[in-house]
């Protein structure tokens, strides 16, 4: 059995993938991977995800230039979640132009943006 066979993909052939920043340990984003995305990530050393909205492989940074270089891949105890330790090139992981997709915090019953926009998304995605 190969390493990919140990991953428990769901009925749609996907597994959740958490991107964690090397060094800081901050969670940058959560995405999905299919078998092909995970295999390409391992082979290339760059994060490749499955875009459910586009229904195709999404090579992180292909439009924005904000590539994730993979330092380590881990699989959880149940085999159904992948953790990528990454170096986030350009310092922006989120399509909103923020460092992390987790920029909203619950304060007094409301979600509030607490992290700044580092670059206008309209400039990133022309």
């Amino acid at each position: 059995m190969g390493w990919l066979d140990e991953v428990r993909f769901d009925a749609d052939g996907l597994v959740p993938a958490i991107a964690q920043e090397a060094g800081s340990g901050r969670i940058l984003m959560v995405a999905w991977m299919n078998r092909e995305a995970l295999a390409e990530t391992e082979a290339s050393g760059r994060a490749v995800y499955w875009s459910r909205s586009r229904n195709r492989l999404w090579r992180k940074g292909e439009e924005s230039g904000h590539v994730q270089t993979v330092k380590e891949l881990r699989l959880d105890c149940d085999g159904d979640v992948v953790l990528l330790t990454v170096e986030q090139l350009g310092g922006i992981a989120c399509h909103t132009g923020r460092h992390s997709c987790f920029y909203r915090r619950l304060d007094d019953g409301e979600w509030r943006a607490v992290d700044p926009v580092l670059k206008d998304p309209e400039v990133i995605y022309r």
Side-chain angles (χ1 to χ4, degrees):
M1 177 186 307
W3 66 273
L4 274 170
D5 297 322
E6 296 182 48
V7 179
R8 292 179 49 206
F9 296 95
D10 69 12
D12 294 321
L14 301 174
V15 64
I18 301 166
Q20 182 179 38
E21 187 172 41
S24 75
R26 186 165 182 195
I27 302 300
L28 298 176
M29 55 181 277
V30 176
W32 295 91
M33 293 179 132
N34 63 6
R35 188 180 183 93
E36 183 181 1
L38 187 52
E40 185 175 324
T41 296
E42 191 278 330
S44 70
R46 291 175 55 166
V48 178
Y49 301 106
W50 177 257
S51 172
R52 295 179 301 167
S53 61
R54 294 175 249 179
N55 203 35
R56 66 170 179 82
L57 288 179
W58 160 41
R59 291 163 182 88
K60 179 68 174 149
E62 66 190 1
E63 293 177 33
S64 67
H66 300 139
V67 172
Q68 291 175 342
T69 303
V70 178
K71 303 299 181 186
E72 183 177 66
L73 284 171
R74 289 187 179 222
L75 185 63
D76 81 328
C77 57
D78 294 324
D80 61 1
V81 177
V82 175
L83 175 66
L84 296 82
T85 303
V86 302
E87 178 184 345
Q88 181 63 58
L89 302 182
I92 297 172
C94 186
H95 75 282
T96 66
R98 291 176 172 88
H99 181 66
S100 169
C101 293
F102 294 93
Y103 63 88
R104 294 184 286 184
R105 180 176 63 213
L106 187 62
D107 285 333
D108 296 323
E110 292 185 32
W111 294 109
R112 300 187 199 277
V114 295
D115 293 345
V117 173
L118 302 175
K119 192 170 189 180
D120 183 343
E122 290 187 23
V123 174
I124 298 170
Y125 303 100
R126 297 178 217 203

